[in-house]
Amino acid sequence: MKQIVADAAIKEVESEMILGLGSGSTAALMIKSLANQIRSGELKNIKGVPTSFQSEVLALELDIPLIDLASVSQIDLAIDGADEVDPGFQLIKGGGACHVREKLVASKADRLLIVVDETKLVQNLNKVFPLPIEVLPNSWKQVKDIISEMNGRSTLRMATKKAGPVVTDQGNLILDVLFNDGIRNPKDFEMTINNIPGVLENGLFVDLTDKVLVGKIDNNNPVVYSPTKVL
Ligand code: 5RP
């Protein structure tokens, strides 16, 4: 499912574009499909803006020309994955702890295209997937206590194959938070959480997404569809 949705996303790319390169397993497949199209000559003069160390390394390995986020005034199209997508195309991202740069790239993009499989579609955000919040290293306990007063249960994200917490590309830590009632008003929540001292950014992506491509299995066949945004 992830592969067909990644391939479908590449059909939206045109030569000469400056392209935001998302993070996560679905975005990685998209980056590989992009590299194939560049290698075959189907796409020319593409410049990629990575959203993470992961996408930067992958793009460099695949010879995709890169340009730094700070050097571009505008990005034509950003393609990225998501952890939850609600009917109004509000998102939770940050499962890979990359949401700070992902949001910077998405905010600079003319269009944000989200690639997911059907399991990511939800009616209400944060009922299942915890909201990732990037915090300065020495503030995690203080932020956790404030979130607890907002009825949020926080877990400091721990690393695998390394003792201690996950350290982000910016050198910060991640709190994963489930709120008792989920997140009913993403716009207010995004701002409220970012107002807590010590918080750098949270994984709510509000009013940024233009189109969602969803992969699903239909009669044993993988298919891609694009749901209509519910206003
Ligand atoms: C990384 C992200 C990813 O896009 C998100 O976690 C989805 O990843 P995957 O395609 O592997 O399910 O936001 O910070």
Side-chain angles (χ1 to χ4, degrees):
M1 279 198 289
K2 287 184 177 182
Q3 185 64 61
I4 56 156
V5 94
D7 291 343
I10 292 303
K11 296 200 177 105
E12 309 257 340
V13 180
E14 293 166 17
S15 292
E16 314 287 336
M17 273 187 168
I18 297 180
L19 202 60
L21 304 177
S23 305
S25 56
T26 320
L29 292 171
M30 177 278 295
I31 292 170
K32 287 178 189 164
S33 300
L34 175 69
N36 288 338
Q37 298 272 305
I38 293 174
R39 212 173 294 126
S40 70
E42 293 272 322
L43 289 172
K44 293 184 174 49
N45 296 330
I46 297 288
K47 286 198 182 73
V49 183
T51 56
S52 62
F53 199 62
Q54 179 210 24
S55 57
E56 183 176 328
V57 168
L58 185 59
L60 283 174
E61 281 175 351
L62 295 169
D63 294 325
I64 297 175
L66 294 179
I67 186 161
D68 188 64
L69 176 63
S71 321
V72 293
S73 54
Q74 165 260 356
I75 293 168
D76 296 302
L77 172 69
I79 306 177
D80 209 340
D83 300 296
E84 285 191 339
V85 180
D86 84 1
F89 291 1
Q90 315 295 25
L91 317 174
I92 288 184
K93 286 183 51 53
C98 311
H99 51 283
V100 170
R101 274 170 72 190
E102 288 173 334
K103 201 183 278 192
L104 283 166
V105 168
S107 305
K108 232 180 200 182
D110 290 347
R111 285 196 304 135
L112 174 61
L113 173 61
I114 293 295
V115 283
V116 289
D117 63 57
E118 219 177 19
T119 62
K120 306 290 185 70
L121 302 183
V122 298
Q123 276 307 310
N124 296 298
L125 297 173
N126 194 236
K127 290 281 185 194
V128 176
F129 197 89
L131 178 69
I133 302 177
E134 181 157 339
V135 298
L136 294 172
N138 59 1
S139 74
W140 73 269
K141 184 69 173 65
Q142 189 172 333
V143 175
K144 183 178 173 153
D145 290 345
I146 294 171
I147 296 233
S148 166
E149 286 164 21
M150 297 167 63
N151 293 322
R153 279 166 291 133
S154 312
T155 310
L156 183 64
R157 194 181 296 182
M158 300 308 276
T160 51
K161 297 192 182 177
K162 176 226 172 226
V166 165
V167 178
T168 69
D169 291 353
Q170 293 71 236
N172 299 310
L173 306 182
I174 299 286
L175 289 175
D176 287 308
V177 184
L178 272 176
F179 290 93
N180 282 355
D181 297 325
I183 295 176
R184 287 159 194 268
N185 188 337
K187 203 171 205 158
D188 287 350
F189 243 87
E190 185 190 21
M191 286 190 293
T192 304
I193 290 165
N194 280 356
N195 245 349
I196 300 171
V199 169
L200 196 68
E201 187 56 89
N202 70 80
L204 282 167
F205 280 47
V206 177
D207 295 342
L208 287 172
T209 304
D210 296 284
K211 185 171 178 179
V212 180
L213 290 176
V214 183
K216 71 166 183 174
I217 302 289
D218 199 19
N219 284 331
N220 284 334
N221 294 316
V223 291
V224 178
Y225 68 99
S226 176
T228 305
K229 180 169 162 176
V230 177
L231 296 173

